[in-house]
Amino acid sequence: MKKFLKNIIIFFLLALIVGEIVVRVTHTMSDIPQRVIDENGIQKYYPNQEGYWKGGDHKWGINKLGWPGELPNSYDNLIMIIGDSYIENFMNPNECHQSAFLKKNMKMYNFMEAGRSGVSLIEAMEISKNLDSLKPVKTLVYVNNNDFYESIRDIQPLQDITQVNLKNGTIAYGKMKAPLFKKILYNWKLLYYFYTRFPLNNQSENAEAPTVSEAIEENNDILKSKSEVFNLINYIKDNYSIKDKVFVFHPNSNTEIIEQCKNLGFNIIVLDSSKDDKKWVFDHDSHWTCYGHEQVAKQISNALLK
């Protein structure tokens, strides 16, 4: 019996080792960079990390400032790019980032990205405030409906997302959920593989972007909370510098939010994918492909150059 148990344990350990090697060599799972909360309460990444995206076709990198992507050669004539997973954009190589395409279209400017999954609109504004020390001539803040909705603590408190309490005007900075567990999970690739296949809460850390039906439900949530969303827009106008900020709205964003931003003097660009015969997004989720990023950058550069 002891010999049998010993053989079982040895077999199990060997299977774990072989499984770990296979998952790492084939890049079955994406490498996930480790996060840190800086002195301003902003979640970003430990500097100078790198890893492979799922499948191993390309690598992502974290620069010395703790943001994904490459830093510009100069901060002169700088345009900042701030957003969530669409700007973080680990699913595409560096040459398919907004900064790369915008630089091709607007060679007289330099571009820097500050993107991270889960960035709400209010956190994007906090990030922009901290990066204003670089003296950007413009800051592009990429937004969708949910970025407004999730920014408001009065509607639904979310511990891991930075929100504003509109009743007392205070910012509640997001906290990292189970950082030790995630550190183990992301470094033990086989465990991470099984976790994503059989997640404990049916939602992995790198959840896919909303489907069409989810986007409709999201839009309905916005309409139900219209007064709070409008109060948020007023709060941003009163508490942040907006003259050099440009809200870049995703295609099919809520028209009432867009109009309210216009009425309060925000600079806006509204993206439109309806006239394009080719999809901007991946088949498996609604993040932008390389082609999508290129089309987005064309519309933005055309708007800015006008």
Side-chain angles (χ1 to χ4, degrees), residues 79-82 121 125 137-143 241-249 266-270 300 303-304:
I79 295 180
M80 287 298 312
I81 299 168
I82 300 176
L121 172 56
M125 298 310 297
V137 296
K138 283 258 186 288
T139 296
L140 306 175
V141 181
Y142 291 61
V143 292
S241 171
I242 65 167
K243 66 180 185 300
D244 59 340
K245 308 297 187 296
V246 181
F247 283 0
V248 179
F249 282 89
F266 285 82
N267 303 304
I268 69 166
I269 296 172
V270 182
I300 291 172
L304 292 179

Short mmCIF file of all heavy atoms in Angstrom, two decimals, residues 79-82 121 125 137-143 241-249 266-270 300 303-304:
data_model
loop_
_atom_site.label_atom_id
_atom_site.label_comp_id
_atom_site.label_asym_id
_atom_site.label_seq_id
_atom_site.Cartn_x
_atom_site.Cartn_y
_atom_site.Cartn_z
N ILE A 79 1.33 63.95 -26.71
CA ILE A 79 -0.09 63.65 -26.58
C ILE A 79 -0.22 62.38 -25.76
O ILE A 79 0.31 61.33 -26.14
CB ILE A 79 -0.77 63.49 -27.95
CG1 ILE A 79 -0.73 64.82 -28.71
CG2 ILE A 79 -2.21 63.02 -27.79
CD1 ILE A 79 -1.37 64.78 -30.08
N MET A 80 -0.92 62.48 -24.62
CA MET A 80 -1.14 61.32 -23.75
C MET A 80 -2.34 60.51 -24.23
O MET A 80 -3.31 61.07 -24.76
CB MET A 80 -1.40 61.77 -22.31
CG MET A 80 -0.20 62.30 -21.56
SD MET A 80 1.10 61.07 -21.33
CE MET A 80 0.17 59.67 -20.73
N ILE A 81 -2.26 59.20 -24.04
CA ILE A 81 -3.33 58.28 -24.40
C ILE A 81 -3.67 57.47 -23.15
O ILE A 81 -2.83 56.74 -22.64
CB ILE A 81 -2.89 57.32 -25.53
CG1 ILE A 81 -2.52 58.13 -26.79
CG2 ILE A 81 -3.95 56.28 -25.82
CD1 ILE A 81 -1.80 57.30 -27.84
N ILE A 82 -4.89 57.62 -22.64
CA ILE A 82 -5.28 56.97 -21.39
C ILE A 82 -6.54 56.15 -21.61
O ILE A 82 -7.48 56.59 -22.26
CB ILE A 82 -5.52 58.01 -20.27
CG1 ILE A 82 -4.25 58.82 -20.03
CG2 ILE A 82 -5.97 57.34 -18.98
CD1 ILE A 82 -4.41 59.93 -19.01
N LEU A 121 -13.50 55.89 -15.70
CA LEU A 121 -13.30 57.26 -16.17
C LEU A 121 -12.68 58.12 -15.09
O LEU A 121 -11.76 58.91 -15.36
CB LEU A 121 -14.64 57.85 -16.62
CG LEU A 121 -14.62 59.35 -16.96
CD1 LEU A 121 -13.59 59.67 -18.03
CD2 LEU A 121 -16.00 59.82 -17.38
N MET A 125 -9.07 60.14 -15.14
CA MET A 125 -8.85 61.56 -14.85
C MET A 125 -7.78 61.73 -13.77
O MET A 125 -6.98 62.67 -13.82
CB MET A 125 -10.16 62.22 -14.41
CG MET A 125 -11.26 62.21 -15.46
SD MET A 125 -10.74 62.82 -17.10
CE MET A 125 -10.32 64.52 -16.72
N VAL A 137 0.43 68.35 -24.62
CA VAL A 137 -0.38 69.37 -25.30
C VAL A 137 -1.83 68.93 -25.39
O VAL A 137 -2.74 69.76 -25.47
CB VAL A 137 0.17 69.68 -26.71
CG1 VAL A 137 1.55 70.29 -26.61
CG2 VAL A 137 0.21 68.42 -27.58
N LYS A 138 -2.05 67.61 -25.38
CA LYS A 138 -3.40 67.05 -25.37
C LYS A 138 -3.37 65.73 -24.62
O LYS A 138 -2.35 65.02 -24.62
CB LYS A 138 -3.89 66.78 -26.79
CG LYS A 138 -4.35 67.99 -27.57
CD LYS A 138 -5.86 68.09 -27.61
CE LYS A 138 -6.28 69.24 -28.52
NZ LYS A 138 -6.01 70.56 -27.94
N THR A 139 -4.50 65.37 -24.02
CA THR A 139 -4.66 64.06 -23.39
C THR A 139 -5.92 63.42 -23.94
O THR A 139 -7.02 63.98 -23.80
CB THR A 139 -4.75 64.17 -21.86
OG1 THR A 139 -3.51 64.67 -21.35
CG2 THR A 139 -5.02 62.80 -21.24
N LEU A 140 -5.76 62.28 -24.60
CA LEU A 140 -6.89 61.52 -25.13
C LEU A 140 -7.35 60.52 -24.08
O LEU A 140 -6.56 59.68 -23.64
CB LEU A 140 -6.50 60.79 -26.41
CG LEU A 140 -5.88 61.63 -27.53
CD1 LEU A 140 -5.43 60.72 -28.68
CD2 LEU A 140 -6.87 62.67 -28.03
N VAL A 141 -8.61 60.61 -23.68
CA VAL A 141 -9.17 59.67 -22.70
C VAL A 141 -10.22 58.83 -23.43
O VAL A 141 -11.27 59.34 -23.83
CB VAL A 141 -9.81 60.40 -21.51
CG1 VAL A 141 -10.35 59.40 -20.50
CG2 VAL A 141 -8.79 61.33 -20.85
N TYR A 142 -9.92 57.55 -23.63
CA TYR A 142 -10.80 56.65 -24.38
C TYR A 142 -11.88 56.12 -23.43
O TYR A 142 -11.56 55.55 -22.39
CB TYR A 142 -10.00 55.49 -24.97
CG TYR A 142 -9.05 55.88 -26.08
CD1 TYR A 142 -8.01 56.79 -25.86
CD2 TYR A 142 -9.19 55.34 -27.36
CE1 TYR A 142 -7.14 57.15 -26.88
CE2 TYR A 142 -8.32 55.70 -28.39
CZ TYR A 142 -7.30 56.61 -28.14
OH TYR A 142 -6.44 56.96 -29.15
N VAL A 143 -13.16 56.31 -23.79
CA VAL A 143 -14.24 55.98 -22.88
C VAL A 143 -15.35 55.22 -23.58
O VAL A 143 -15.59 55.37 -24.78
CB VAL A 143 -14.84 57.27 -22.24
CG1 VAL A 143 -13.84 57.91 -21.31
CG2 VAL A 143 -15.29 58.26 -23.30
N SER A 241 -8.83 69.73 -14.92
CA SER A 241 -8.61 70.57 -16.09
C SER A 241 -9.09 69.82 -17.33
O SER A 241 -8.63 68.71 -17.61
CB SER A 241 -7.11 70.90 -16.22
OG SER A 241 -6.86 71.53 -17.45
N ILE A 242 -10.01 70.42 -18.07
CA ILE A 242 -10.57 69.70 -19.23
C ILE A 242 -10.23 70.38 -20.55
O ILE A 242 -10.53 69.83 -21.62
CB ILE A 242 -12.10 69.54 -19.11
CG1 ILE A 242 -12.80 70.91 -19.16
CG2 ILE A 242 -12.48 68.79 -17.85
CD1 ILE A 242 -14.30 70.81 -19.36
N LYS A 243 -9.63 71.57 -20.52
CA LYS A 243 -9.39 72.29 -21.77
C LYS A 243 -8.44 71.54 -22.70
O LYS A 243 -8.54 71.65 -23.93
CB LYS A 243 -8.87 73.70 -21.49
CG LYS A 243 -7.50 73.78 -20.86
CD LYS A 243 -7.09 75.23 -20.63
CE LYS A 243 -5.67 75.34 -20.10
NZ LYS A 243 -5.48 74.64 -18.83
N ASP A 244 -7.52 70.74 -22.13
CA ASP A 244 -6.57 69.99 -22.95
C ASP A 244 -6.90 68.50 -23.00
O ASP A 244 -6.11 67.69 -23.48
CB ASP A 244 -5.14 70.18 -22.43
CG ASP A 244 -4.98 69.73 -20.98
OD1 ASP A 244 -6.01 69.63 -20.27
OD2 ASP A 244 -3.84 69.48 -20.55
N LYS A 245 -8.08 68.12 -22.47
CA LYS A 245 -8.51 66.73 -22.47
C LYS A 245 -9.50 66.50 -23.61
O LYS A 245 -10.32 67.37 -23.92
CB LYS A 245 -9.16 66.35 -21.14
CG LYS A 245 -8.34 66.66 -19.90
CD LYS A 245 -7.05 65.90 -19.85
CE LYS A 245 -6.30 66.07 -18.54
NZ LYS A 245 -5.85 67.45 -18.26
N VAL A 246 -9.43 65.33 -24.23
CA VAL A 246 -10.35 64.95 -25.29
C VAL A 246 -10.93 63.59 -24.96
O VAL A 246 -10.19 62.62 -24.80
CB VAL A 246 -9.64 64.88 -26.67
CG1 VAL A 246 -10.65 64.50 -27.76
CG2 VAL A 246 -8.96 66.19 -27.00
N PHE A 247 -12.25 63.51 -24.80
CA PHE A 247 -12.91 62.22 -24.60
C PHE A 247 -13.10 61.55 -25.96
O PHE A 247 -13.76 62.10 -26.84
CB PHE A 247 -14.26 62.41 -23.92
CG PHE A 247 -14.20 62.67 -22.44
CD1 PHE A 247 -12.99 62.73 -21.77
CD2 PHE A 247 -15.37 62.84 -21.70
CE1 PHE A 247 -12.93 62.96 -20.41
CE2 PHE A 247 -15.32 63.07 -20.34
CZ PHE A 247 -14.10 63.14 -19.69
N VAL A 248 -12.52 60.38 -26.11
CA VAL A 248 -12.69 59.60 -27.33
C VAL A 248 -13.72 58.51 -27.05
O VAL A 248 -13.45 57.54 -26.34
CB VAL A 248 -11.36 58.97 -27.79
CG1 VAL A 248 -11.58 58.14 -29.06
CG2 VAL A 248 -10.32 60.04 -28.03
N PHE A 249 -14.93 58.69 -27.58
CA PHE A 249 -16.02 57.76 -27.31
C PHE A 249 -15.96 56.56 -28.26
O PHE A 249 -15.83 56.73 -29.47
CB PHE A 249 -17.37 58.45 -27.46
CG PHE A 249 -17.74 59.32 -26.29
CD1 PHE A 249 -17.36 60.66 -26.27
CD2 PHE A 249 -18.46 58.81 -25.23
CE1 PHE A 249 -17.70 61.47 -25.20
CE2 PHE A 249 -18.80 59.62 -24.15
CZ PHE A 249 -18.42 60.94 -24.13
N PHE A 266 -16.82 69.93 -23.01
CA PHE A 266 -15.75 68.94 -23.18
C PHE A 266 -15.39 68.81 -24.66
O PHE A 266 -16.24 68.93 -25.54
CB PHE A 266 -16.21 67.56 -22.67
CG PHE A 266 -16.24 67.43 -21.18
CD1 PHE A 266 -17.32 67.90 -20.45
CD2 PHE A 266 -15.20 66.82 -20.50
CE1 PHE A 266 -17.36 67.78 -19.07
CE2 PHE A 266 -15.23 66.70 -19.12
CZ PHE A 266 -16.30 67.18 -18.40
N ASN A 267 -14.11 68.58 -24.92
CA ASN A 267 -13.67 68.24 -26.27
C ASN A 267 -13.94 66.75 -26.48
O ASN A 267 -13.56 65.92 -25.64
CB ASN A 267 -12.17 68.51 -26.42
CG ASN A 267 -11.81 69.94 -26.12
OD1 ASN A 267 -12.36 70.86 -26.72
ND2 ASN A 267 -10.90 70.14 -25.17
N ILE A 268 -14.59 66.40 -27.56
CA ILE A 268 -14.93 64.99 -27.77
C ILE A 268 -14.64 64.56 -29.21
O ILE A 268 -14.67 65.37 -30.14
CB ILE A 268 -16.40 64.68 -27.42
CG1 ILE A 268 -17.34 65.33 -28.43
CG2 ILE A 268 -16.74 65.11 -26.00
CD1 ILE A 268 -18.75 64.81 -28.34
N ILE A 269 -14.36 63.27 -29.36
CA ILE A 269 -14.29 62.61 -30.65
C ILE A 269 -15.14 61.35 -30.53
O ILE A 269 -14.97 60.59 -29.57
CB ILE A 269 -12.84 62.23 -31.02
CG1 ILE A 269 -11.97 63.48 -31.19
CG2 ILE A 269 -12.81 61.38 -32.30
CD1 ILE A 269 -10.49 63.17 -31.37
N VAL A 270 -16.05 61.15 -31.46
CA VAL A 270 -16.92 59.98 -31.44
C VAL A 270 -16.51 59.05 -32.57
O VAL A 270 -16.58 59.41 -33.75
CB VAL A 270 -18.40 60.37 -31.58
CG1 VAL A 270 -19.28 59.13 -31.50
CG2 VAL A 270 -18.80 61.38 -30.51
N ILE A 300 -9.09 59.52 -35.19
CA ILE A 300 -8.63 60.47 -34.17
C ILE A 300 -7.66 61.49 -34.76
O ILE A 300 -7.79 62.70 -34.51
CB ILE A 300 -7.95 59.71 -33.01
CG1 ILE A 300 -9.00 58.91 -32.24
CG2 ILE A 300 -7.24 60.68 -32.06
CD1 ILE A 300 -8.42 57.98 -31.20
N ALA A 303 -9.47 64.04 -36.82
CA ALA A 303 -10.19 65.00 -35.98
C ALA A 303 -9.23 66.00 -35.34
O ALA A 303 -9.52 67.20 -35.30
CB ALA A 303 -10.98 64.25 -34.91
N LEU A 304 -8.09 65.53 -34.86
CA LEU A 304 -7.14 66.42 -34.19
C LEU A 304 -6.50 67.39 -35.18
O LEU A 304 -6.28 68.55 -34.86
CB LEU A 304 -6.06 65.60 -33.47
CG LEU A 304 -6.52 64.78 -32.27
CD1 LEU A 304 -5.34 64.00 -31.69
CD2 LEU A 304 -7.11 65.68 -31.18
#
